[in-house]
């Protein structure tokens, strides 16, 4: 079987291919299937997030480690988006914020655990947390419409310690829905994989197809060459079914460090290449 560490290595290679396509796609030299291969990363990392949450010795520490990476990245994303800082000459900047979605999911998982407990106080606290997650973006939007200083403070908070849904393509409802589905089906591996495929097929294939079919020159083959997000769950299925339930070697620091390091390195190289070519 494959250990959790093995799944992370597969996801890491997939993510690297996807981001090479993401940062250097403007050259026209990166094969489109690099992006297709990259669809495998998110389902595997979300699965490992659930496993990590359930088996970690300290959930507070687990959340803290996510925040240590997601907060600086979110802060930089905020200043890139609203301050134009370190933005590539063509206006492009990295919008990667997957760890922010992990932060939201860890909070959701803990809320579910509190609700499932027989402690009335914890159950009430869990319900409050789950209600706060969709209310916070609305409240942030209201506060951002007033004083500029308050708006800036709320914006920074929404990009860092209290991430708001939809701050980037990585922090969206379908990503959170996928993570929550994996959490609730975690005790039944085959059903978990089937649910993963069903959720992703429904969101990324059915809904996308219903919209895309009305566009000029749309062909069904484009669901495999352009709108292929749904294939990530299909690709991930065999690996998840081979998971043996063991942690493996770990390499936690490597995975936490690799995510921001490779993003900003590829971004810098893409900027350098653009400058030289220009």
């Amino acid at each position: 079987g494959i250990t959790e560490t093995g799944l992370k290595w597969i996801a890491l290679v997939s993510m690297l291919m996807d981001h090479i396509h993401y940062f250097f796609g403007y050259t026209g030299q990166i094969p489109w299937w690099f992006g297709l291969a990259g669809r495998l990363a998110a389902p595997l990392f979300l699965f490992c997030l659930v496993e990590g949450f359930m088996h970690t010795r300290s959930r507070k520490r687990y959340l803290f480690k996510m925040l240590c990476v997601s907060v600086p990245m979110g802060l930089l994303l905020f200043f890139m988006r609203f301050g134009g800082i370190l933005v590539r000459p063509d206006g492009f900047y990295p919008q990667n914020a997957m760890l922010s979605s992990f932060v939201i999911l860890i909070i959701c998982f803990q809320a579910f655990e509190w609700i499932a407990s027989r402690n009335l106080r914890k159950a009430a606290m869990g319900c409050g947390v789950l209600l706060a997650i969709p209310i916070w973006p609305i409240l942030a939007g209201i506060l951002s419409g007033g004083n500029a200083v308050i708006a800036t403070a709320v914006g920074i908070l929404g990009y860092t310690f209290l991430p708001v849904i939809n701050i980037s393509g990585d922090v969206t409802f379908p990503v959170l829905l996928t993570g929550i589905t994996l959490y609730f089906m975690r005790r039944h591996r085959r059903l978990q994989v089937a649910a993963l495929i069903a959720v992703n097929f429904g969101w990324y294939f059915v809904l996308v197809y219903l919209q895309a079919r009305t566009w000029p020159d749309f062909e069904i083959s484009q669901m495999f060459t352009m709108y292929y997000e749904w294939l990530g769950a299909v690709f991930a299925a065999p690996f998840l079914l081979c998971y043996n339930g063991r942690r493996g070697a770990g390499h936690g620091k490597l995975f936490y460090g690799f995510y921001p390091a490779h993003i900003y390195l590829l971004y810098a190289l893409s900027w350098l290449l653009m400058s030289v070519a220009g």
Side-chain angles (χ1 to χ4, degrees):
I2 305 175
T3 64
E4 182 182 343
T5 302
L7 291 177
K8 287 181 179 178
W9 274 111
I10 296 170
L12 184 146
V13 173
S14 169
M15 177 179 66
L16 180 60
M17 294 178 68
D18 183 43
H19 288 162
I20 290 174
H21 183 267
Y22 178 60
F23 287 107
F24 296 94
Y26 73 91
T27 65
Q29 301 300 313
I30 309 300
W32 67 271
W33 53 265
F34 267 53
L36 176 61
R39 300 309 94 199
L40 175 62
L44 290 183
F45 276 130
L46 287 169
F47 176 85
C48 291
L49 179 74
V50 174
E51 289 296 298
F53 175 82
M54 297 307 302
H55 298 111
T56 184
R57 295 178 181 177
S58 172
R59 290 173 179 172
K60 290 182 180 179
R61 185 180 178 186
Y62 194 52
L63 176 61
F64 177 74
K65 288 190 292 185
M66 292 292 178
L67 286 170
C68 284
V69 182
S70 67
V71 167
M73 292 187 69
L75 187 62
L76 182 56
L77 175 58
F78 176 83
F79 285 113
M80 284 179 170
R81 176 168 294 172
F82 297 104
I85 298 174
L86 297 177
V87 175
R88 213 166 64 184
D90 61 347
F92 175 89
Y93 57 91
Q95 301 187 44
N96 308 83
M98 183 57 78
L99 293 190
S100 292
S101 66
F102 287 1
V103 168
I104 296 176
L105 282 170
I106 291 173
I107 294 173
C108 287
F109 296 161
Q110 186 58 59
F112 294 141
E113 294 286 309
W114 285 335
I115 293 172
S117 71
R118 297 183 179 182
N119 187 305
L120 185 60
R121 183 182 64 84
K122 288 185 177 181
M125 187 163 51
C127 290
V129 168
L130 293 180
L131 286 173
I133 290 175
I135 291 175
W136 165 232
I138 300 173
L139 179 61
I142 295 173
L143 294 174
S144 298
N147 183 276
V149 175
I150 296 177
T152 301
V154 171
I156 292 175
L157 190 62
Y159 274 74
T160 55
F161 293 99
L162 293 177
V164 175
I165 298 175
N166 289 329
I167 60 173
S168 82
D170 290 334
V171 193
T172 59
F173 178 76
V175 172
L176 300 180
L177 179 61
T178 300
I180 291 172
T181 299
L182 290 169
Y183 168 83
F184 278 112
M185 305 300 292
R186 65 190 183 279
R187 293 187 177 91
H188 310 280
R189 183 74 65 241
R190 292 182 180 179
L191 289 178
Q192 185 186 38
V193 173
L196 170 67
I197 294 175
V199 167
N200 279 260
F201 183 80
W203 192 278
Y204 292 118
F205 186 96
V206 176
L207 293 182
V208 172
Y209 172 74
L210 290 176
Q211 182 181 13
R213 67 176 181 171
T214 63
W215 299 342
D217 303 323
F218 172 77
E219 297 179 3
I220 189 64
S221 61
Q222 293 174 351
M223 299 303 300
F224 297 85
T225 59
M226 293 179 63
Y227 313 113
Y228 43 60
E229 190 75 30
W230 64 279
L231 284 170
V234 177
F235 293 159
F239 298 106
L240 296 183
L241 291 174
C242 291
Y243 175 56
N244 60 17
R246 299 176 182 176
R247 180 171 181 265
H251 305 308
K253 293 181 179 180
L254 170 65
F255 291 114
Y256 282 112
F258 182 83
Y259 183 70
H262 90 282
I263 286 174
Y264 297 126
L265 178 59
L266 290 176
Y267 180 53
L269 289 174
S270 73
W271 193 334
L272 177 62
L273 180 62
M274 179 175 288
S275 299
V276 172

